[in-house]
Structures are given as structure tokens and as C-alpha cells.
Amino acid sequence: MQPPRTATDRDVQMMRLALSRGRAGTPAPNPHVGAVLVRDGEVIGVGHHERAGCAHAEVAAMADAGYDVRGATLYVTLEPCNHHGRTPPCCDAILREGVARVVVGCRDLNPAVGGGGVERLRAAGVAVVVGVCEADAFGLLGEWMNRLRGAA
């Protein structure tokens, strides 16, 4: 049985930490993204997307945790990518490392990417909650979202 797809007060608290982490780095032209890994109520890893071509926030948080993340909950400000770019899809790493639950701030609205990360994770049996601190997560994407709108 899957855990509920609704957010808890703890989810909001951890997403706020991910949002704080997401403000770091200079990832342009990529978006600012933060991530936090929690297992058994303890933060085991944090990360952000430092710069284009480097590990995305999810993978940076896993590296910070020493990749011992099986059964953990991942809080990430932007939907995990499900496409190959300069780096492999974050969904691949999330599934390979055994993350049990993913809490997403906002969906990836890049039409070139097409999202799909949430659906892929759910199809693989990962519990996913979407929209936690969504307005703040979109706010973190300001410059990147403006570039997307300009390209549309």
C-alpha cells in the first residue's frame, strides 16, 4: 500500500529547507533547484544545482548522503528530470538508489523537456506528492521561467 499523496507539516518544513538550498549556486541557463533527503526523521543529505553541467540537486543530495538513501524521502523544489541533457535523468538515480518517496515543489514546465518525471516515478512505485510550497518553488525559478516564456 502506497503512502498518501498529500503533504504533511513535516513535508512543508523540509521543502522550505530545500528552497533555502536552492538559492545557492549559479546554474544559469538551468534553474535554481534545491533538494533534501530525509530518512527516519533525520536529514541525511542536502544539495543544490551548483552550475550547468554539474550534478542536479537530487544527485548532489544523494552524494552528500553517501548514496545510502534506500527508503528515504526526497524533497526537491522542481520535478526530477526524466530526460538526457548534459547529465543523465535524475529519475534514473532516484530509482536506482531506492528512494521511497518524492515530494515536489512544482512541475517542470519546460516544453522541451515535457516533464514526465512524476509519472515515471509513480509508475515505478515511488510515492510522489506534488505542489508543496508551490508558489515559493515557482518563485525560485524566476529567471529561468522568464527565459522559458521568452522562448515560447
Side-chain angles (χ1 to χ4, degrees), residues 23-137:
R23 292 181 185 94
T26 53
N30 294 342
H32 281 271
V33 180
V36 175
L37 278 159
V38 175
R39 185 175 51 219
D40 299 326
E42 299 293 324
V43 173
I44 61 170
V46 294
H48 65 275
H49 186 49
E50 181 63 35
R51 66 180 189 278
C54 290
H56 289 183
E58 301 92 315
V59 175
M62 286 185 225
D64 187 52
Y67 291 97
D68 181 17
V69 301
R70 186 155 304 280
T73 295
L74 171 68
Y75 296 88
V76 62
T77 59
L78 181 65
E79 176 180 11
C81 66
N82 190 33
H83 68 285
H84 287 271
R86 294 182 191 171
T87 62
C90 291
C91 284
D92 288 357
I94 292 166
L95 295 172
R96 179 180 61 248
E97 299 302 328
V99 172
R101 182 171 179 258
V102 177
V103 179
V104 176
C106 64
R107 290 280 201 151
D108 188 341
L109 300 180
N110 185 345
V113 173
V118 167
E119 289 77 13
R120 179 165 178 219
L121 294 171
R122 284 181 175 157
V126 176
V128 181
V129 177
V130 178
V132 177
C133 301
E134 187 172 50
D136 293 326

